[in-house]
């Protein structure tokens, strides 16, 4: 396993981690400057932050600082209540994919969606199997565009607590089943697949089949991204109470050892949503803590 204790060469900052500084919105250009000033080599920005700053501006800053993008957040949200909604979701995903290309991202991360309307508290139906079928169809349709553009898609399985509203793909095994159905390839293929997975320790740490799932993903080089934060006890909010690495109960180094044994050699991306703690602190403190914990707890 790579030694992270001496430097932060393989640290990436998911820009949601510092989307607020001392409780106030922090624009993406300032986030980029603060990362570059610390020798952080990679980021993974969110679309809303990119749109607020302007795609051209962000693209220019990324190039100016020689930053890499460990991913682009995010595409997905495929299910819809009607045909028009399905078409709109696919169109939006194509735009996200084009933006990921413009920014030179390693992959477009997919949070696949779930029951239409549930995110707003009004699920259109209770048929999660239908939602899962729409996810499969949506990824299949987007894959054509992704292959043409050479932009890999990374399915991110989310913790089952999000199965109703954010993602009905909830385990690594389920994500890999989709990969193998939609993008079959012989074991041992060396090149990057068109369809792979993002392994986020927050979403997957509890899974008794995680180690074997990571090994299965590795056999086809499907691990496109590795996200870290920590699981706090108690967790006070289902979405926005993620912990800094080392503050919770996830054995992150163990999971990283599995991911690297499976052949992953990319960035370790810190992704923390934290309304009650880290988003209230100055972003300089948050980034410095990310660097320190990347060395000591990842
Ligand atoms: Zn993630």
């Amino acid at each position: 396993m790579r030694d992270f204790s001496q430097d932060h060469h393989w640290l990436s900052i998911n820009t949601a981690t510092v989307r607020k500084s001392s409780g106030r919105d922090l624009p993406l250009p300032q986030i980029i400057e603060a990362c570059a000033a610390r020798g952080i080599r990679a980021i993974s920005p969110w679309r809303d932050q990119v749109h607020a700053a302007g795609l051209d501006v962000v693209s220019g800053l990324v190039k100016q600082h020689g930053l890499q993008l460990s991913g682009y957040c995010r595409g997905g949200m495929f299910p819809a209540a009607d045909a028009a909604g399905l078409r709109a979701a696919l169109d939006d995903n194509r735009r996200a994919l084009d933006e990921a290309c413009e920014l030179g991202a390693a992959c477009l991360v997919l949070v696949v969606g779930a029951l239409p309307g549930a995110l707003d508290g009004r699920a259109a139906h209770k048929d999660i199997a239908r939602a899962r079928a729409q996810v499969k169809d949506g990824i299949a349709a987007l894959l054509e565009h992704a292959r043409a553009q050479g932009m890999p898609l990374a399915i991110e399985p989310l913790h089952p607590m999000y199965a109703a509203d954010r993602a009905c793909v909830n385990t690594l095994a389920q994500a890999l089943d989709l990969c193998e159905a939609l993008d079959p390839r012989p074991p041992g293929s060396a090149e990057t697949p068109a369809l792979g997975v993002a392994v986020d320790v927050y979403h997957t740490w509890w899974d008794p089949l995680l180690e074997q799932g990571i090994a299965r993903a590795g056999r086809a080089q499907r691990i496109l991204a590795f996200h870290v934060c920590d699981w706090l006890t108690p967790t006070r909010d289902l979405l926005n109470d993620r912990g800094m690495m080392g503050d919770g109960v996830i054995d992150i180094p163990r999971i990283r050892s599995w991911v690297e044994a499976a052949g992953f050699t990319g960035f370790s991306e810190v992704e923390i949503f934290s309304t009650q703690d880290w988003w209230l602190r100055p972003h300089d403190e948050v980034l410095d803590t990310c660097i320190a914990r990347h060395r000591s707890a990842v």
Side-chain angles (χ1 to χ4, degrees), residues 14 46 73 109 111 156-158 198-203 226-228 242 269 271 273:
N14 183 298
W46 281 70
C73 293
V109 174
V111 170
E156 181 164 0
L158 296 201
V199 177
D200 186 324
V201 300
Y202 189 77
H203 296 299
F226 179 57
H227 299 173
V228 297
R242 301 189 187 188
E269 178 182 320
E271 184 184 33
F273 311 157

Side-chain angles (χ1 to χ4, degrees), residues 74-88:
R74 57 176 165 58
M77 296 292 167
F78 294 103
D82 55 34
L86 291 171
R87 267 196 309 277

Side-chain angles (χ1 to χ4, degrees), residues 8-9 16 25 29 41 54 109 143 162 211 224 245 251 263 281 292:
H8 53 287
H9 197 72
D25 286 344
R41 301 195 306 139
V109 174
L143 253 183
Y162 303 114
E211 183 177 9
L224 301 179
M245 300 82 72
D251 190 344
R281 306 198 199 194

Side-chain angles (χ1 to χ4, degrees), residues 168-192:
C168 56
V169 172
N170 306 106
T171 65
L172 187 52
Q174 198 187 348
L176 290 170
D177 287 346
L178 283 169
C179 291
E180 288 169 13
L182 298 174
D183 180 42
R185 54 201 244 120
S189 307
E191 82 262 35
T192 305

